[in-house]
mmCIF file of all heavy atoms in Angstrom:
data_model
loop_
_atom_site.group_PDB
_atom_site.id
_atom_site.type_symbol
_atom_site.label_atom_id
_atom_site.label_comp_id
_atom_site.label_asym_id
_atom_site.label_seq_id
_atom_site.Cartn_x
_atom_site.Cartn_y
_atom_site.Cartn_z
ATOM 1 N N TRP A 268 7.368 9.520 34.457
ATOM 2 C CA TRP A 268 6.991 8.122 34.222
ATOM 3 C C TRP A 268 7.844 7.199 35.065
ATOM 4 O O TRP A 268 8.844 7.611 35.661
ATOM 5 C CB TRP A 268 7.070 7.755 32.750
ATOM 6 C CG TRP A 268 8.413 7.958 32.070
ATOM 7 C CD1 TRP A 268 9.657 7.647 32.550
ATOM 8 C CD2 TRP A 268 8.621 8.513 30.762
ATOM 9 N NE1 TRP A 268 10.623 7.967 31.638
ATOM 10 C CE2 TRP A 268 10.021 8.491 30.527
ATOM 11 C CE3 TRP A 268 7.791 8.992 29.758
ATOM 12 C CZ2 TRP A 268 10.587 8.951 29.332
ATOM 13 C CZ3 TRP A 268 8.353 9.443 28.577
ATOM 14 C CH2 TRP A 268 9.730 9.425 28.367
ATOM 15 N N ILE A 269 7.419 5.963 35.111
ATOM 16 C CA ILE A 269 8.165 4.914 35.804
ATOM 17 C C ILE A 269 8.479 3.827 34.787
ATOM 18 O O ILE A 269 7.582 3.277 34.145
ATOM 19 C CB ILE A 269 7.361 4.323 36.980
ATOM 20 C CG1 ILE A 269 7.043 5.416 38.008
ATOM 21 C CG2 ILE A 269 8.137 3.184 37.652
ATOM 22 C CD1 ILE A 269 6.057 4.975 39.086
ATOM 23 N N VAL A 270 9.763 3.558 34.599
ATOM 24 C CA VAL A 270 10.208 2.470 33.738
ATOM 25 C C VAL A 270 10.896 1.434 34.617
ATOM 26 O O VAL A 270 11.143 1.669 35.796
ATOM 27 C CB VAL A 270 11.146 2.976 32.627
ATOM 28 C CG1 VAL A 270 10.390 3.882 31.658
ATOM 29 C CG2 VAL A 270 12.338 3.730 33.216
ATOM 30 N N TYR A 271 11.232 0.297 34.045
ATOM 31 C CA TYR A 271 11.699 -0.816 34.871
ATOM 32 C C TYR A 271 12.990 -1.411 34.319
ATOM 33 O O TYR A 271 13.186 -1.490 33.108
ATOM 34 C CB TYR A 271 10.619 -1.914 34.925
ATOM 35 C CG TYR A 271 9.296 -1.414 35.426
ATOM 36 C CD1 TYR A 271 8.346 -0.903 34.538
ATOM 37 C CD2 TYR A 271 9.004 -1.403 36.787
ATOM 38 C CE1 TYR A 271 7.133 -0.412 34.997
ATOM 39 C CE2 TYR A 271 7.786 -0.912 37.250
ATOM 40 C CZ TYR A 271 6.855 -0.421 36.350
ATOM 41 O OH TYR A 271 5.658 0.071 36.803
ATOM 42 N N SER A 272 13.840 -1.817 35.251
ATOM 43 C CA SER A 272 15.038 -2.545 34.859
ATOM 44 C C SER A 272 14.630 -3.918 34.348
ATOM 45 O O SER A 272 13.486 -4.361 34.510
ATOM 46 C CB SER A 272 15.965 -2.710 36.062
ATOM 47 O OG SER A 272 15.375 -3.616 36.993
ATOM 48 N N SER A 273 15.578 -4.631 33.751
ATOM 49 C CA SER A 273 15.270 -5.959 33.202
ATOM 50 C C SER A 273 14.932 -6.954 34.295
ATOM 51 O O SER A 273 14.296 -7.969 34.041
ATOM 52 C CB SER A 273 16.441 -6.476 32.366
ATOM 53 O OG SER A 273 17.635 -6.481 33.135
ATOM 54 N N GLY A 274 15.382 -6.707 35.505
ATOM 55 C CA GLY A 274 14.964 -7.547 36.619
ATOM 56 C C GLY A 274 15.459 -8.972 36.541
ATOM 57 O O GLY A 274 14.693 -9.917 36.650
ATOM 58 N N THR A 275 16.784 -9.161 36.357
ATOM 59 C CA THR A 275 17.295 -10.524 36.271
ATOM 60 C C THR A 275 17.135 -11.256 37.593
ATOM 61 O O THR A 275 16.967 -12.473 37.614
ATOM 62 C CB THR A 275 18.772 -10.511 35.850
ATOM 63 O OG1 THR A 275 19.492 -9.620 36.720
ATOM 64 C CG2 THR A 275 18.918 -10.014 34.427
ATOM 65 N N THR A 276 17.228 -10.553 38.683
ATOM 66 C CA THR A 276 16.953 -11.157 39.991
ATOM 67 C C THR A 276 16.069 -10.206 40.790
ATOM 68 O O THR A 276 16.177 -8.993 40.676
ATOM 69 C CB THR A 276 18.262 -11.412 40.782
ATOM 70 O OG1 THR A 276 18.929 -10.161 40.993
ATOM 71 C CG2 THR A 276 19.178 -12.346 40.026
ATOM 72 N N GLY A 277 15.215 -10.779 41.603
ATOM 73 C CA GLY A 277 14.324 -9.968 42.408
ATOM 74 C C GLY A 277 13.312 -9.229 41.555
ATOM 75 O O GLY A 277 13.194 -9.429 40.355
ATOM 76 N N LEU A 278 12.558 -8.366 42.211
ATOM 77 C CA LEU A 278 11.577 -7.575 41.484
ATOM 78 C C LEU A 278 12.276 -6.542 40.608
ATOM 79 O O LEU A 278 13.341 -6.033 40.955
ATOM 80 C CB LEU A 278 10.647 -6.869 42.467
ATOM 81 C CG LEU A 278 9.663 -7.758 43.232
ATOM 82 C CD1 LEU A 278 8.923 -6.932 44.281
ATOM 83 C CD2 LEU A 278 8.675 -8.411 42.277
ATOM 84 N N PRO A 279 11.684 -6.202 39.473
ATOM 85 C CA PRO A 279 12.270 -5.145 38.634
ATOM 86 C C PRO A 279 12.352 -3.829 39.398
ATOM 87 O O PRO A 279 11.511 -3.532 40.242
ATOM 88 C CB PRO A 279 11.279 -5.046 37.461
ATOM 89 C CG PRO A 279 10.544 -6.340 37.464
ATOM 90 C CD PRO A 279 10.471 -6.783 38.891
ATOM 91 N N LYS A 280 13.382 -3.061 39.101
ATOM 92 C CA LYS A 280 13.532 -1.754 39.747
ATOM 93 C C LYS A 280 12.600 -0.750 39.068
ATOM 94 O O LYS A 280 12.708 -0.521 37.867
ATOM 95 C CB LYS A 280 14.971 -1.253 39.629
ATOM 96 C CG LYS A 280 16.007 -2.101 40.337
ATOM 97 C CD LYS A 280 17.337 -1.370 40.448
ATOM 98 C CE LYS A 280 17.970 -1.061 39.107
ATOM 99 N NZ LYS A 280 18.522 -2.240 38.427
ATOM 100 N N PRO A 281 11.689 -0.125 39.831
ATOM 101 C CA PRO A 281 10.826 0.911 39.251
ATOM 102 C C PRO A 281 11.565 2.259 39.260
ATOM 103 O O PRO A 281 11.750 2.865 40.298
ATOM 104 C CB PRO A 281 9.605 0.934 40.171
ATOM 105 C CG PRO A 281 9.895 -0.037 41.277
ATOM 106 C CD PRO A 281 11.328 -0.393 41.222
ATOM 107 N N ILE A 282 11.992 2.701 38.096
ATOM 108 C CA ILE A 282 12.855 3.867 37.965
ATOM 109 C C ILE A 282 11.998 5.081 37.616
ATOM 110 O O ILE A 282 11.264 5.063 36.627
ATOM 111 C CB ILE A 282 13.915 3.623 36.876
ATOM 112 C CG1 ILE A 282 14.760 2.395 37.229
ATOM 113 C CG2 ILE A 282 14.790 4.845 36.692
ATOM 114 C CD1 ILE A 282 15.621 1.901 36.084
ATOM 115 N N VAL A 283 12.101 6.131 38.430
ATOM 116 C CA VAL A 283 11.292 7.331 38.249
ATOM 117 C C VAL A 283 12.128 8.416 37.583
ATOM 118 O O VAL A 283 13.185 8.788 38.092
ATOM 119 C CB VAL A 283 10.750 7.846 39.593
ATOM 120 C CG1 VAL A 283 9.824 9.042 39.372
ATOM 121 C CG2 VAL A 283 10.022 6.726 40.346
ATOM 122 N N HIS A 284 11.643 8.916 36.444
ATOM 123 C CA HIS A 284 12.279 10.038 35.758
ATOM 124 C C HIS A 284 11.389 11.273 35.862
ATOM 125 O O HIS A 284 10.167 11.163 35.993
ATOM 126 C CB HIS A 284 12.520 9.709 34.287
ATOM 127 C CG HIS A 284 13.494 8.596 34.064
ATOM 128 N ND1 HIS A 284 13.262 7.557 33.188
ATOM 129 C CD2 HIS A 284 14.699 8.341 34.615
ATOM 130 C CE1 HIS A 284 14.285 6.727 33.208
ATOM 131 N NE2 HIS A 284 15.167 7.179 34.072
ATOM 132 N N GLY A 285 12.000 12.445 35.741
ATOM 133 C CA GLY A 285 11.267 13.695 35.865
ATOM 134 C C GLY A 285 10.978 14.341 34.526
ATOM 135 O O GLY A 285 11.639 14.070 33.518
ATOM 136 N N HIS A 286 9.984 15.233 34.511
ATOM 137 C CA HIS A 286 9.573 15.921 33.285
ATOM 138 C C HIS A 286 10.732 16.668 32.633
ATOM 139 O O HIS A 286 11.048 16.457 31.465
ATOM 140 C CB HIS A 286 8.460 16.929 33.606
ATOM 141 C CG HIS A 286 7.088 16.351 33.583
ATOM 142 N ND1 HIS A 286 6.183 16.619 32.590
ATOM 143 C CD2 HIS A 286 6.459 15.523 34.449
ATOM 144 C CE1 HIS A 286 5.053 15.980 32.836
ATOM 145 N NE2 HIS A 286 5.185 15.312 33.971
ATOM 146 N N GLY A 287 11.335 17.590 33.382
ATOM 147 C CA GLY A 287 12.312 18.486 32.785
ATOM 148 C C GLY A 287 13.565 17.788 32.313
ATOM 149 O O GLY A 287 14.040 18.021 31.189
ATOM 150 N N GLY A 288 14.136 16.937 33.156
ATOM 151 C CA GLY A 288 15.367 16.253 32.780
ATOM 152 C C GLY A 288 15.183 15.341 31.594
ATOM 153 O O GLY A 288 16.022 15.294 30.676
ATOM 154 N N THR A 289 14.066 14.605 31.578
ATOM 155 C CA THR A 289 13.806 13.697 30.459
ATOM 156 C C THR A 289 13.603 14.478 29.175
ATOM 157 O O THR A 289 14.106 14.095 28.106
ATOM 158 C CB THR A 289 12.561 12.844 30.756
ATOM 159 O OG1 THR A 289 12.750 12.152 32.000
ATOM 160 C CG2 THR A 289 12.311 11.835 29.652
ATOM 161 N N LEU A 290 12.877 15.564 29.262
ATOM 162 C CA LEU A 290 12.603 16.388 28.090
ATOM 163 C C LEU A 290 13.900 16.947 27.502
ATOM 164 O O LEU A 290 14.146 16.859 26.290
ATOM 165 C CB LEU A 290 11.658 17.511 28.521
ATOM 166 C CG LEU A 290 11.037 18.461 27.513
ATOM 167 C CD1 LEU A 290 9.805 19.103 28.149
ATOM 168 C CD2 LEU A 290 11.999 19.554 27.097
ATOM 169 N N LEU A 291 14.745 17.514 28.350
ATOM 170 C CA LEU A 291 15.992 18.110 27.862
ATOM 171 C C LEU A 291 16.912 17.075 27.234
ATOM 172 O O LEU A 291 17.477 17.289 26.156
ATOM 173 C CB LEU A 291 16.722 18.791 29.015
ATOM 174 C CG LEU A 291 16.445 20.271 29.274
ATOM 175 C CD1 LEU A 291 17.348 20.772 30.391
ATOM 176 C CD2 LEU A 291 16.641 21.103 28.023
ATOM 177 N N VAL A 292 17.089 15.947 27.904
ATOM 178 C CA VAL A 292 17.999 14.929 27.397
ATOM 179 C C VAL A 292 17.452 14.292 26.119
ATOM 180 O O VAL A 292 18.213 13.967 25.198
ATOM 181 C CB VAL A 292 18.281 13.873 28.482
ATOM 182 C CG1 VAL A 292 19.034 12.676 27.913
ATOM 183 C CG2 VAL A 292 19.083 14.503 29.623
ATOM 184 N N ALA A 293 16.141 14.139 26.030
ATOM 185 C CA ALA A 293 15.552 13.587 24.812
ATOM 186 C C ALA A 293 15.831 14.492 23.618
ATOM 187 O O ALA A 293 16.170 14.016 22.527
ATOM 188 C CB ALA A 293 14.048 13.398 24.994
ATOM 189 N N LEU A 294 15.693 15.785 23.804
ATOM 190 C CA LEU A 294 15.968 16.714 22.709
ATOM 191 C C LEU A 294 17.456 16.717 22.356
ATOM 192 O O LEU A 294 17.831 16.712 21.177
ATOM 193 C CB LEU A 294 15.513 18.116 23.094
ATOM 194 C CG LEU A 294 13.992 18.325 23.136
ATOM 195 C CD1 LEU A 294 13.659 19.659 23.790
ATOM 196 C CD2 LEU A 294 13.396 18.249 21.732
ATOM 197 N N GLN A 295 18.296 16.728 23.375
ATOM 198 C CA GLN A 295 19.746 16.713 23.132
ATOM 199 C C GLN A 295 20.157 15.467 22.357
ATOM 200 O O GLN A 295 20.927 15.539 21.393
ATOM 201 C CB GLN A 295 20.478 16.789 24.473
ATOM 202 C CG GLN A 295 21.977 16.621 24.382
ATOM 203 C CD GLN A 295 22.427 15.255 24.887
ATOM 204 O OE1 GLN A 295 21.631 14.328 24.999
ATOM 205 N NE2 GLN A 295 23.699 15.133 25.170
ATOM 206 N N LEU A 296 19.636 14.312 22.770
ATOM 207 C CA LEU A 296 19.986 13.050 22.104
ATOM 208 C C LEU A 296 19.393 12.977 20.709
ATOM 209 O O LEU A 296 20.103 12.748 19.718
ATOM 210 C CB LEU A 296 19.491 11.875 22.952
ATOM 211 C CG LEU A 296 19.450 10.503 22.275
ATOM 212 C CD1 LEU A 296 20.849 10.061 21.865
ATOM 213 C CD2 LEU A 296 18.814 9.460 23.199
ATOM 214 N N LYS A 297 18.103 13.171 20.618
ATOM 215 C CA LYS A 297 17.415 12.922 19.349
ATOM 216 C C LYS A 297 17.796 13.930 18.283
ATOM 217 O O LYS A 297 18.001 13.572 17.121
ATOM 218 C CB LYS A 297 15.904 12.933 19.571
ATOM 219 C CG LYS A 297 15.096 12.619 18.331
ATOM 220 C CD LYS A 297 13.624 12.617 18.641
ATOM 221 C CE LYS A 297 13.173 13.938 19.189
ATOM 222 N NZ LYS A 297 13.317 15.053 18.202
#
Side-chain angles (χ1 to χ4, degrees):
W268 57 43
I269 299 170
V270 294
Y271 304 90
S272 69
S273 56
T275 52
T276 61
L278 290 174
K280 296 193 297 287
I282 301 167
V283 184
H284 295 133
H286 273 252
T289 304
L290 187 160
L291 268 184
V292 170
L294 288 169
Q295 173 254 18
L296 165 63
K297 183 179 59 64

